[in-house]
Structure formats: C-alpha cells, structure tokens
Amino acid sequence: MTETEFLDLAESTLDRIEQAFDRLNDEDVIDVECKRSGNVLEIEFIDNGSKIIVNSQAPLQEMWVAARSGGYHYKRVGDEWRNTRDDSELFTSLSRYAGEQGGAQVTLA
C-alpha cells in the first residue's frame, strides 16, 4: 500500500471510530468526549477521566492504540486492522477497552 493509500485509510478509520463513540455517547450507552488533532483521536471517559488514544503511524503503516490495559499496534490484513501480537481485530479490541474503562458493555460497529 502506498503512503497516500495508507493515509486515506487511516483517516477513514479514525473517522469511523470517532463516529461510533459519538453515537454511543448520544445513545447514553457510555459518557465520552472525542477530540481530534490531525492523526490523533483522544477518547475521554467523562466519569473517571481515563482516555483511549488512537493514532496512525504512517512510516510503519500501523494504527496505534493506548488504553489503560496497554499499548497496541494494528496492521492492515485484508479488510481489517489486526493486532501485531495476538491478531485481534481493532474494533473488537476497542470495544473491550472501552467497556473496561467506561464500565458499560460497548460494541463498536
């Protein structure tokens, strides 16, 4: 994948994550506030102040996630972002991290 293709894909992935969290917030599933600065998306859990940070790393063509449970790297495999260590899928993992930090059952689609 070219750098331009990666940047477009990373941008659309960050948009999709932000929209999913905004929808969950609007539906009163979880109380979060999303802030975006370039290639960095900060998801703050209002009740406890914890955060999940998602950002793209163009030189490595990866998406990085920092959550309370640790730091994770995701590479594109086919049509999905897969964890470079355990092969878990990005949105499934984000659902778990958000549930852990936000105290509610969360499913990101």
Side-chain angles (χ1 to χ4, degrees):
M1 156 178 359
T2 68
E3 184 174 347
T4 300
E5 290 169 331
F6 170 79
L7 292 172
D8 289 345
L9 183 58
E11 179 73 19
S12 68
T13 300
L14 290 171
D15 286 344
R16 187 173 157 207
I17 294 167
E18 184 173 15
Q19 290 168 3
F21 274 103
D22 284 344
R23 188 189 81 250
L24 290 169
N25 186 66
D26 291 346
E27 294 172 357
D28 290 327
V29 173
I30 197 162
D31 195 11
V32 295
E33 182 177 317
C34 294
K35 295 178 187 167
R36 183 88 174 269
S37 178
N39 69 329
V40 179
L41 174 62
E42 181 180 291
I43 304 151
E44 182 176 359
F45 296 84
I46 304 304
D47 292 341
N48 60 26
S50 71
K51 297 178 183 180
I52 293 175
I53 309 294
V54 183
N55 67 297
S56 62
Q57 292 294 318
L60 299 173
Q61 293 196 345
E62 293 181 346
M63 299 298 291
W64 287 6
V65 176
R68 247 190 210 162
S69 58
Y72 308 94
H73 299 185
Y74 294 82
K75 272 203 165 299
R76 193 71 174 181
V77 177
D79 290 337
E80 298 177 322
W81 293 102
R82 297 303 233 169
N83 187 306
T84 58
R85 291 187 187 149
D86 67 8
D87 200 42
S88 60
E89 193 274 329
L90 175 63
F91 285 86
T92 301
S93 298
L94 280 172
S95 297
R96 187 176 70 249
Y97 308 146
E100 292 168 356
Q101 288 182 227
Q105 182 77 18
V106 173
T107 302
L108 298 175

